Amino acid sequence: MKQTAMTVDEHKARTARSYKLMLLFAMISMTMLFAGLTSAFVVSKSRADWLKNFELPSAFFMSTAVIIACSVTFHLAKKAIQKDNRSATTSFLLATLALGILFVILQFVGFGQVVDAGYYFTGSESTITTTFLYVIAITHLAHLFGGLISLLIIIYNHFKQKYNSTQTLGIELGAMYWHFLDLLWVYLFLFLFFFK
């Protein structure tokens, strides 16, 4: 009987390692994608039509604070489920979702601020600087939508009581991905702020 229990535990551990490894490979691929985009940004700065006095929209500053708060709430959700505190886990997961949606809204507010300042992302009136900003931010948002979908699945599974102190894999994977998205945006924001 003990042998069977050990085999089940080993199987769970192997499955968890496999999922974490797949997520790690996906995050490495995304890192390479953004490394390529930021490298192209640096190379393009030498162009004569590059905007030297372009300022990042204020909404991007706010969205950076919001996505950092998302990581905090997701971390707290993971800690709460590890203690079998279901109500706190629910609160922190819903707070993460609300903050994630607010981040998306603030990104689009930022795009609006850029257009209001007289800069465009596409078309004959666009500039290479704002087009790069748009491509980088939209590519990050695309990955964030994946994070929001996985968060909705995690919330659904949580309400179905699939997580507890001995089964936290889904929340752990979601938290890993969300922390990655957070660090990625902070890197992109600092890059865009200092290398404009």
Side-chain angles (χ1 to χ4, degrees):
M1 196 70 166
K2 248 183 195 177
Q3 184 112 16
T4 309
M6 277 289 280
T7 308
V8 169
D9 287 344
E10 283 176 2
H11 178 70
K12 270 186 177 178
R14 283 186 188 146
T15 301
R17 276 197 302 273
S18 297
Y19 282 130
K20 286 178 180 176
L21 196 58
M22 284 189 290
L23 180 58
L24 186 63
F25 281 130
M27 292 188 299
I28 289 168
S29 299
M30 287 180 247
T31 302
M32 291 171 70
L33 168 68
F34 283 99
L37 284 173
T38 51
S39 297
F41 185 97
V42 170
V43 170
S44 297
K45 274 183 63 177
S46 60
R47 289 174 52 129
D49 58 349
W50 190 262
L51 296 176
K52 306 290 183 200
N53 58 347
F54 178 76
E55 296 293 328
L56 283 178
S58 60
F60 277 21
F61 289 82
M62 291 183 277
S63 67
T64 302
V66 166
I67 203 168
I68 291 169
C70 278
S71 264
V72 171
T73 54
F74 218 142
H75 176 74
L76 292 172
K78 186 176 87 168
K79 290 294 178 192
I81 200 64
Q82 288 169 344
K83 295 174 184 170
D84 281 320
N85 187 341
R86 295 193 56 76
S87 63
T89 305
T90 302
S91 298
F92 289 128
L93 286 174
L94 292 175
T96 305
L97 179 62
L99 288 167
I101 292 168
L102 179 58
F103 175 83
V104 173
I105 291 167
L106 286 169
Q107 292 288 284
F108 283 100
V109 169
F111 295 151
Q113 288 175 338
V114 171
V115 172
D116 289 344
Y119 301 109
Y120 296 91
F121 302 109
T122 58
S124 58
E125 295 180 17
S126 66
T127 68
I128 187 70
T129 312
T130 53
T131 300
F132 259 113
L133 172 70
Y134 182 70
V135 168
I136 288 171
I138 286 291
T139 305
H140 181 264
L141 276 176
H143 291 94
L144 189 89
F145 279 123
L148 286 171
I149 290 166
S150 67
L151 180 56
L152 287 169
I153 293 167
I154 289 166
I155 291 169
Y156 173 79
N157 286 337
H158 173 65
F159 282 120
K160 290 292 221 175
Q161 300 191 1
K162 291 190 177 181
Y163 304 122
N164 55 51
S165 58
T166 61
Q167 172 55 301
T168 61
L169 182 61
I171 292 179
E172 281 182 53
L173 292 171
M176 273 177 67
Y177 185 63
W178 206 269
H179 295 327
F180 168 75
L181 290 173
D182 177 8
L183 287 171
L184 182 59
W185 176 254
V186 170
Y187 158 72
L188 292 171
F189 175 78
L190 292 174
F191 175 85
L192 293 167
F193 183 77
F194 287 110
F195 288 92
K196 55 193 174 193

PDB file of all heavy atoms in Angstrom, residues 10 21 34 48 53 89 102 132 154-155 159 166 177:
ATOM      1  N   GLU A  10       5.321  10.269  -6.479  1.00  0.00           N
ATOM      2  CA  GLU A  10       6.399  10.446  -7.455  1.00  0.00           C
ATOM      3  C   GLU A  10       5.839  10.920  -8.799  1.00  0.00           C
ATOM      4  O   GLU A  10       6.419  11.789  -9.454  1.00  0.00           O
ATOM      5  CB  GLU A  10       7.166   9.135  -7.654  1.00  0.00           C
ATOM      6  CG  GLU A  10       8.127   8.817  -6.532  1.00  0.00           C
ATOM      7  CD  GLU A  10       8.795   7.460  -6.707  1.00  0.00           C
ATOM      8  OE1 GLU A  10       8.526   6.779  -7.734  1.00  0.00           O
ATOM      9  OE2 GLU A  10       9.563   7.084  -5.817  1.00  0.00           O
ATOM     10  N   LEU A  21       8.973  22.837 -16.366  1.00  0.00           N
ATOM     11  CA  LEU A  21      10.010  22.884 -17.399  1.00  0.00           C
ATOM     12  C   LEU A  21       9.446  23.422 -18.714  1.00  0.00           C
ATOM     13  O   LEU A  21      10.081  24.250 -19.375  1.00  0.00           O
ATOM     14  CB  LEU A  21      10.597  21.481 -17.598  1.00  0.00           C
ATOM     15  CG  LEU A  21      11.927  21.401 -18.353  1.00  0.00           C
ATOM     16  CD1 LEU A  21      13.001  22.224 -17.660  1.00  0.00           C
ATOM     17  CD2 LEU A  21      12.367  19.953 -18.482  1.00  0.00           C
ATOM     18  N   PHE A  34      11.552  39.275 -27.059  1.00  0.00           N
ATOM     19  CA  PHE A  34      11.672  40.664 -26.616  1.00  0.00           C
ATOM     20  C   PHE A  34      13.108  41.164 -26.676  1.00  0.00           C
ATOM     21  O   PHE A  34      13.338  42.356 -26.877  1.00  0.00           O
ATOM     22  CB  PHE A  34      11.065  40.829 -25.223  1.00  0.00           C
ATOM     23  CG  PHE A  34       9.569  40.865 -25.259  1.00  0.00           C
ATOM     24  CD1 PHE A  34       8.824  39.730 -24.968  1.00  0.00           C
ATOM     25  CD2 PHE A  34       8.893  42.030 -25.613  1.00  0.00           C
ATOM     26  CE1 PHE A  34       7.433  39.750 -25.025  1.00  0.00           C
ATOM     27  CE2 PHE A  34       7.509  42.062 -25.680  1.00  0.00           C
ATOM     28  CZ  PHE A  34       6.773  40.919 -25.379  1.00  0.00           C
ATOM     29  N   ALA A  48      17.740  58.893 -38.778  1.00  0.00           N
ATOM     30  CA  ALA A  48      17.573  60.354 -38.754  1.00  0.00           C
ATOM     31  C   ALA A  48      16.160  60.756 -38.321  1.00  0.00           C
ATOM     32  O   ALA A  48      15.969  61.829 -37.729  1.00  0.00           O
ATOM     33  CB  ALA A  48      17.876  60.926 -40.137  1.00  0.00           C
ATOM     34  N   ASN A  53      12.873  63.569 -28.522  1.00  0.00           N
ATOM     35  CA  ASN A  53      12.224  64.199 -27.358  1.00  0.00           C
ATOM     36  C   ASN A  53      10.911  63.505 -26.966  1.00  0.00           C
ATOM     37  O   ASN A  53      10.092  64.083 -26.281  1.00  0.00           O
ATOM     38  CB  ASN A  53      11.952  65.680 -27.646  1.00  0.00           C
ATOM     39  CG  ASN A  53      11.074  65.862 -28.871  1.00  0.00           C
ATOM     40  OD1 ASN A  53      10.857  64.935 -29.640  1.00  0.00           O
ATOM     41  ND2 ASN A  53      10.570  67.071 -29.059  1.00  0.00           N
ATOM     42  N   THR A  89      -7.464  33.123  -0.513  1.00  0.00           N
ATOM     43  CA  THR A  89      -7.037  32.768  -1.872  1.00  0.00           C
ATOM     44  C   THR A  89      -7.997  33.361  -2.897  1.00  0.00           C
ATOM     45  O   THR A  89      -7.563  33.952  -3.899  1.00  0.00           O
ATOM     46  CB  THR A  89      -6.965  31.230  -2.042  1.00  0.00           C
ATOM     47  OG1 THR A  89      -6.115  30.690  -1.036  1.00  0.00           O
ATOM     48  CG2 THR A  89      -6.439  30.854  -3.415  1.00  0.00           C
ATOM     49  N   LEU A 102      -7.081  46.121 -15.150  1.00  0.00           N
ATOM     50  CA  LEU A 102      -6.725  47.540 -15.038  1.00  0.00           C
ATOM     51  C   LEU A 102      -5.437  47.833 -15.792  1.00  0.00           C
ATOM     52  O   LEU A 102      -5.317  48.869 -16.455  1.00  0.00           O
ATOM     53  CB  LEU A 102      -6.591  47.940 -13.563  1.00  0.00           C
ATOM     54  CG  LEU A 102      -6.207  49.398 -13.278  1.00  0.00           C
ATOM     55  CD1 LEU A 102      -7.218  50.377 -13.890  1.00  0.00           C
ATOM     56  CD2 LEU A 102      -6.063  49.633 -11.775  1.00  0.00           C
ATOM     57  N   PHE A 132       7.634  51.321 -32.850  1.00  0.00           N
ATOM     58  CA  PHE A 132       8.342  50.383 -31.980  1.00  0.00           C
ATOM     59  C   PHE A 132       7.660  50.290 -30.613  1.00  0.00           C
ATOM     60  O   PHE A 132       7.476  49.195 -30.083  1.00  0.00           O
ATOM     61  CB  PHE A 132       9.802  50.805 -31.791  1.00  0.00           C
ATOM     62  CG  PHE A 132      10.754  50.036 -32.646  1.00  0.00           C
ATOM     63  CD1 PHE A 132      11.448  50.669 -33.666  1.00  0.00           C
ATOM     64  CD2 PHE A 132      10.974  48.681 -32.439  1.00  0.00           C
ATOM     65  CE1 PHE A 132      12.333  49.973 -34.472  1.00  0.00           C
ATOM     66  CE2 PHE A 132      11.853  47.971 -33.239  1.00  0.00           C
ATOM     67  CZ  PHE A 132      12.539  48.613 -34.255  1.00  0.00           C
ATOM     68  N   ILE A 154      -7.601  29.253 -13.515  1.00  0.00           N
ATOM     69  CA  ILE A 154      -7.195  29.011 -12.122  1.00  0.00           C
ATOM     70  C   ILE A 154      -8.330  29.386 -11.172  1.00  0.00           C
ATOM     71  O   ILE A 154      -8.645  28.633 -10.235  1.00  0.00           O
ATOM     72  CB  ILE A 154      -5.902  29.805 -11.787  1.00  0.00           C
ATOM     73  CG1 ILE A 154      -4.716  29.177 -12.506  1.00  0.00           C
ATOM     74  CG2 ILE A 154      -5.660  29.864 -10.277  1.00  0.00           C
ATOM     75  CD1 ILE A 154      -3.466  30.035 -12.533  1.00  0.00           C
ATOM     76  N   ILE A 155      -8.965  30.522 -11.405  1.00  0.00           N
ATOM     77  CA  ILE A 155     -10.087  30.951 -10.551  1.00  0.00           C
ATOM     78  C   ILE A 155     -11.233  29.942 -10.644  1.00  0.00           C
ATOM     79  O   ILE A 155     -11.817  29.553  -9.623  1.00  0.00           O
ATOM     80  CB  ILE A 155     -10.544  32.384 -10.928  1.00  0.00           C
ATOM     81  CG1 ILE A 155      -9.464  33.399 -10.524  1.00  0.00           C
ATOM     82  CG2 ILE A 155     -11.882  32.726 -10.263  1.00  0.00           C
ATOM     83  CD1 ILE A 155      -9.680  34.805 -11.073  1.00  0.00           C
ATOM     84  N   PHE A 159     -12.686  27.672  -7.553  1.00  0.00           N
ATOM     85  CA  PHE A 159     -14.084  27.587  -7.127  1.00  0.00           C
ATOM     86  C   PHE A 159     -14.603  26.151  -7.169  1.00  0.00           C
ATOM     87  O   PHE A 159     -15.518  25.793  -6.433  1.00  0.00           O
ATOM     88  CB  PHE A 159     -14.975  28.524  -7.949  1.00  0.00           C
ATOM     89  CG  PHE A 159     -14.880  29.955  -7.514  1.00  0.00           C
ATOM     90  CD1 PHE A 159     -14.452  30.945  -8.392  1.00  0.00           C
ATOM     91  CD2 PHE A 159     -15.202  30.333  -6.215  1.00  0.00           C
ATOM     92  CE1 PHE A 159     -14.346  32.270  -7.985  1.00  0.00           C
ATOM     93  CE2 PHE A 159     -15.113  31.660  -5.798  1.00  0.00           C
ATOM     94  CZ  PHE A 159     -14.681  32.625  -6.680  1.00  0.00           C
ATOM     95  N   THR A 166      -2.067  20.598  -0.457  1.00  0.00           N
ATOM     96  CA  THR A 166      -1.284  19.515  -1.060  1.00  0.00           C
ATOM     97  C   THR A 166      -1.345  19.527  -2.588  1.00  0.00           C
ATOM     98  O   THR A 166      -0.622  18.783  -3.240  1.00  0.00           O
ATOM     99  CB  THR A 166      -1.780  18.134  -0.563  1.00  0.00           C
ATOM    100  OG1 THR A 166      -3.153  17.976  -0.948  1.00  0.00           O
ATOM    101  CG2 THR A 166      -1.640  18.021   0.941  1.00  0.00           C
ATOM    102  N   TYR A 177       4.226  32.364 -14.238  1.00  0.00           N
ATOM    103  CA  TYR A 177       4.029  33.075 -15.502  1.00  0.00           C
ATOM    104  C   TYR A 177       3.744  34.550 -15.244  1.00  0.00           C
ATOM    105  O   TYR A 177       4.262  35.424 -15.933  1.00  0.00           O
ATOM    106  CB  TYR A 177       2.892  32.428 -16.307  1.00  0.00           C
ATOM    107  CG  TYR A 177       2.712  33.028 -17.674  1.00  0.00           C
ATOM    108  CD1 TYR A 177       3.720  32.947 -18.620  1.00  0.00           C
ATOM    109  CD2 TYR A 177       1.531  33.691 -18.020  1.00  0.00           C
ATOM    110  CE1 TYR A 177       3.560  33.502 -19.890  1.00  0.00           C
ATOM    111  CE2 TYR A 177       1.366  34.242 -19.282  1.00  0.00           C
ATOM    112  CZ  TYR A 177       2.382  34.151 -20.214  1.00  0.00           C
ATOM    113  OH  TYR A 177       2.225  34.710 -21.450  1.00  0.00           O
TER     114      TYR A 177
END
